[in-house]
Amino acid sequence: MKLPWNDPRSNKFATTIGLITSDGLNGPNIMACEWTHHLSYDPGLVAVSIGPTKTTVENIRTSKEFGVNLCSSDQSLLSSVAGGYSGSNYNKINALKEIGFQFYQANKIKTLMVKGASLNVECNLFQEVTCGDHIMFIGEVVDAIHNPEKQSLIYHGGKYWSLEQLIKPNEEEREKIRWILEKYKK
């Protein structure tokens, strides 16, 4: 069964927007990636799933590294430009600089990182896996910087969202749940 892009069923997932930066045969590039995942604490592993025809795929394959910049809630325009145009046809980095967005040189890899992102992660390519119609690049984290003042941008239902904190069950409710679960312990 297919679960295509923009299908109402696919739109039920909520994800962060990873701004994937790379530098390779196609020069410096940035793309918006809906499928960005933290896979492992030790070693720190992050995965990005990218369509095989994307310019970023070739850049990562040649350079063996990439940046993952979690888009902050005030960077929806940056995400729209990075995701709406192909790095094969446009120098998106220079266009975004002219619009007013800023980049900085990564500390441990040879690519640019997005200034003002909620999280900047520098990765060396750990593994490449073909998963259906996408390629998953798993990166081993070599440096990571978080911005405590920034909230990550969320993508859901074809729209951008920001997070709103919800209240977890209080201690009394959790104790009642523990008591019920103990009755059903195996």
Side-chain angles (χ1 to χ4, degrees), residues 120-134:
N120 301 94
V121 180
E122 299 175 29
C123 297
N124 285 329
L125 182 59
F126 179 79
Q127 189 174 5
E128 176 182 330
V129 181
T130 299
C131 297
D133 60 2
H134 277 63

PDB file of all heavy atoms in Angstrom, residues 120-134:
ATOM      1  N   ASN A 120      21.613  22.772  16.133  1.00  0.00           N
ATOM      2  CA  ASN A 120      22.546  22.579  15.027  1.00  0.00           C
ATOM      3  C   ASN A 120      23.371  21.337  15.329  1.00  0.00           C
ATOM      4  O   ASN A 120      24.020  21.263  16.370  1.00  0.00           O
ATOM      5  CB  ASN A 120      23.489  23.774  14.862  1.00  0.00           C
ATOM      6  CG  ASN A 120      22.753  25.064  14.621  1.00  0.00           C
ATOM      7  OD1 ASN A 120      22.478  25.798  15.560  1.00  0.00           O
ATOM      8  ND2 ASN A 120      22.426  25.343  13.382  1.00  0.00           N
ATOM      9  N   VAL A 121      23.323  20.352  14.425  1.00  0.00           N
ATOM     10  CA  VAL A 121      24.030  19.094  14.613  1.00  0.00           C
ATOM     11  C   VAL A 121      24.934  18.852  13.412  1.00  0.00           C
ATOM     12  O   VAL A 121      24.460  18.848  12.271  1.00  0.00           O
ATOM     13  CB  VAL A 121      23.039  17.914  14.782  1.00  0.00           C
ATOM     14  CG1 VAL A 121      23.782  16.607  14.982  1.00  0.00           C
ATOM     15  CG2 VAL A 121      22.077  18.169  15.931  1.00  0.00           C
ATOM     16  N   GLU A 122      26.204  18.648  13.671  1.00  0.00           N
ATOM     17  CA  GLU A 122      27.166  18.329  12.613  1.00  0.00           C
ATOM     18  C   GLU A 122      27.357  16.817  12.598  1.00  0.00           C
ATOM     19  O   GLU A 122      27.573  16.205  13.638  1.00  0.00           O
ATOM     20  CB  GLU A 122      28.492  19.031  12.883  1.00  0.00           C
ATOM     21  CG  GLU A 122      28.360  20.547  12.916  1.00  0.00           C
ATOM     22  CD  GLU A 122      29.649  21.247  13.294  1.00  0.00           C
ATOM     23  OE1 GLU A 122      30.750  20.701  13.017  1.00  0.00           O
ATOM     24  OE2 GLU A 122      29.559  22.361  13.851  1.00  0.00           O
ATOM     25  N   CYS A 123      27.266  16.225  11.409  1.00  0.00           N
ATOM     26  CA  CYS A 123      27.319  14.761  11.283  1.00  0.00           C
ATOM     27  C   CYS A 123      28.328  14.308  10.244  1.00  0.00           C
ATOM     28  O   CYS A 123      28.438  14.902   9.165  1.00  0.00           O
ATOM     29  CB  CYS A 123      25.951  14.228  10.844  1.00  0.00           C
ATOM     30  SG  CYS A 123      24.616  14.516  12.003  1.00  0.00           S
ATOM     31  N   ASN A 124      29.008  13.222  10.566  1.00  0.00           N
ATOM     32  CA  ASN A 124      29.759  12.462   9.576  1.00  0.00           C
ATOM     33  C   ASN A 124      28.864  11.321   9.138  1.00  0.00           C
ATOM     34  O   ASN A 124      28.152  10.735   9.968  1.00  0.00           O
ATOM     35  CB  ASN A 124      31.057  11.899  10.164  1.00  0.00           C
ATOM     36  CG  ASN A 124      32.123  12.968  10.345  1.00  0.00           C
ATOM     37  OD1 ASN A 124      32.186  13.930   9.590  1.00  0.00           O
ATOM     38  ND2 ASN A 124      32.950  12.792  11.357  1.00  0.00           N
ATOM     39  N   LEU A 125      28.895  10.995   7.855  1.00  0.00           N
ATOM     40  CA  LEU A 125      28.050   9.923   7.344  1.00  0.00           C
ATOM     41  C   LEU A 125      28.444   8.601   7.992  1.00  0.00           C
ATOM     42  O   LEU A 125      29.586   8.174   7.935  1.00  0.00           O
ATOM     43  CB  LEU A 125      28.163   9.826   5.819  1.00  0.00           C
ATOM     44  CG  LEU A 125      27.285   8.780   5.148  1.00  0.00           C
ATOM     45  CD1 LEU A 125      25.807   9.022   5.439  1.00  0.00           C
ATOM     46  CD2 LEU A 125      27.540   8.767   3.644  1.00  0.00           C
ATOM     47  N   PHE A 126      27.489   7.960   8.630  1.00  0.00           N
ATOM     48  CA  PHE A 126      27.679   6.690   9.330  1.00  0.00           C
ATOM     49  C   PHE A 126      27.187   5.529   8.473  1.00  0.00           C
ATOM     50  O   PHE A 126      27.816   4.492   8.375  1.00  0.00           O
ATOM     51  CB  PHE A 126      26.920   6.752  10.662  1.00  0.00           C
ATOM     52  CG  PHE A 126      26.985   5.525  11.503  1.00  0.00           C
ATOM     53  CD1 PHE A 126      28.105   5.252  12.271  1.00  0.00           C
ATOM     54  CD2 PHE A 126      25.916   4.638  11.542  1.00  0.00           C
ATOM     55  CE1 PHE A 126      28.162   4.110  13.069  1.00  0.00           C
ATOM     56  CE2 PHE A 126      25.963   3.498  12.340  1.00  0.00           C
ATOM     57  CZ  PHE A 126      27.094   3.233  13.099  1.00  0.00           C
ATOM     58  N   GLN A 127      26.010   5.731   7.841  1.00  0.00           N
ATOM     59  CA  GLN A 127      25.421   4.668   7.025  1.00  0.00           C
ATOM     60  C   GLN A 127      24.404   5.265   6.069  1.00  0.00           C
ATOM     61  O   GLN A 127      23.751   6.263   6.383  1.00  0.00           O
ATOM     62  CB  GLN A 127      24.744   3.643   7.934  1.00  0.00           C
ATOM     63  CG  GLN A 127      24.280   2.399   7.237  1.00  0.00           C
ATOM     64  CD  GLN A 127      23.741   1.365   8.230  1.00  0.00           C
ATOM     65  OE1 GLN A 127      23.626   1.621   9.412  1.00  0.00           O
ATOM     66  NE2 GLN A 127      23.410   0.198   7.725  1.00  0.00           N
ATOM     67  N   GLU A 128      24.268   4.631   4.928  1.00  0.00           N
ATOM     68  CA  GLU A 128      23.238   4.988   3.945  1.00  0.00           C
ATOM     69  C   GLU A 128      22.365   3.765   3.724  1.00  0.00           C
ATOM     70  O   GLU A 128      22.876   2.675   3.473  1.00  0.00           O
ATOM     71  CB  GLU A 128      23.895   5.416   2.629  1.00  0.00           C
ATOM     72  CG  GLU A 128      22.912   5.712   1.529  1.00  0.00           C
ATOM     73  CD  GLU A 128      23.578   6.097   0.210  1.00  0.00           C
ATOM     74  OE1 GLU A 128      24.676   6.675   0.206  1.00  0.00           O
ATOM     75  OE2 GLU A 128      22.974   5.798  -0.842  1.00  0.00           O
ATOM     76  N   VAL A 129      21.045   3.961   3.828  1.00  0.00           N
ATOM     77  CA  VAL A 129      20.113   2.849   3.677  1.00  0.00           C
ATOM     78  C   VAL A 129      18.979   3.286   2.760  1.00  0.00           C
ATOM     79  O   VAL A 129      18.365   4.333   2.985  1.00  0.00           O
ATOM     80  CB  VAL A 129      19.517   2.434   5.052  1.00  0.00           C
ATOM     81  CG1 VAL A 129      18.571   1.255   4.891  1.00  0.00           C
ATOM     82  CG2 VAL A 129      20.597   2.142   6.065  1.00  0.00           C
ATOM     83  N   THR A 130      18.688   2.501   1.733  1.00  0.00           N
ATOM     84  CA  THR A 130      17.534   2.773   0.887  1.00  0.00           C
ATOM     85  C   THR A 130      16.297   2.249   1.596  1.00  0.00           C
ATOM     86  O   THR A 130      16.240   1.071   1.971  1.00  0.00           O
ATOM     87  CB  THR A 130      17.686   2.123  -0.494  1.00  0.00           C
ATOM     88  OG1 THR A 130      18.845   2.671  -1.119  1.00  0.00           O
ATOM     89  CG2 THR A 130      16.468   2.391  -1.364  1.00  0.00           C
ATOM     90  N   CYS A 131      15.335   3.131   1.799  1.00  0.00           N
ATOM     91  CA  CYS A 131      14.079   2.786   2.475  1.00  0.00           C
ATOM     92  C   CYS A 131      12.934   3.182   1.559  1.00  0.00           C
ATOM     93  O   CYS A 131      12.540   4.350   1.518  1.00  0.00           O
ATOM     94  CB  CYS A 131      13.962   3.517   3.814  1.00  0.00           C
ATOM     95  SG  CYS A 131      15.214   3.079   5.008  1.00  0.00           S
ATOM     96  N   GLY A 132      12.400   2.218   0.803  1.00  0.00           N
ATOM     97  CA  GLY A 132      11.315   2.523  -0.122  1.00  0.00           C
ATOM     98  C   GLY A 132      11.760   3.541  -1.152  1.00  0.00           C
ATOM     99  O   GLY A 132      12.771   3.366  -1.820  1.00  0.00           O
ATOM    100  N   ASP A 133      11.016   4.653  -1.241  1.00  0.00           N
ATOM    101  CA  ASP A 133      11.318   5.664  -2.248  1.00  0.00           C
ATOM    102  C   ASP A 133      12.221   6.782  -1.712  1.00  0.00           C
ATOM    103  O   ASP A 133      12.379   7.816  -2.352  1.00  0.00           O
ATOM    104  CB  ASP A 133      10.024   6.254  -2.830  1.00  0.00           C
ATOM    105  CG  ASP A 133       9.141   6.910  -1.788  1.00  0.00           C
ATOM    106  OD1 ASP A 133       9.514   6.953  -0.600  1.00  0.00           O
ATOM    107  OD2 ASP A 133       8.055   7.389  -2.158  1.00  0.00           O
ATOM    108  N   HIS A 134      12.835   6.589  -0.551  1.00  0.00           N
ATOM    109  CA  HIS A 134      13.746   7.571   0.025  1.00  0.00           C
ATOM    110  C   HIS A 134      15.069   6.901   0.401  1.00  0.00           C
ATOM    111  O   HIS A 134      15.153   5.686   0.512  1.00  0.00           O
ATOM    112  CB  HIS A 134      13.136   8.218   1.278  1.00  0.00           C
ATOM    113  CG  HIS A 134      12.210   9.340   0.965  1.00  0.00           C
ATOM    114  ND1 HIS A 134      11.042   9.165   0.257  1.00  0.00           N
ATOM    115  CD2 HIS A 134      12.273  10.657   1.250  1.00  0.00           C
ATOM    116  CE1 HIS A 134      10.437  10.328   0.123  1.00  0.00           C
ATOM    117  NE2 HIS A 134      11.158  11.253   0.722  1.00  0.00           N
TER     118      HIS A 134
END
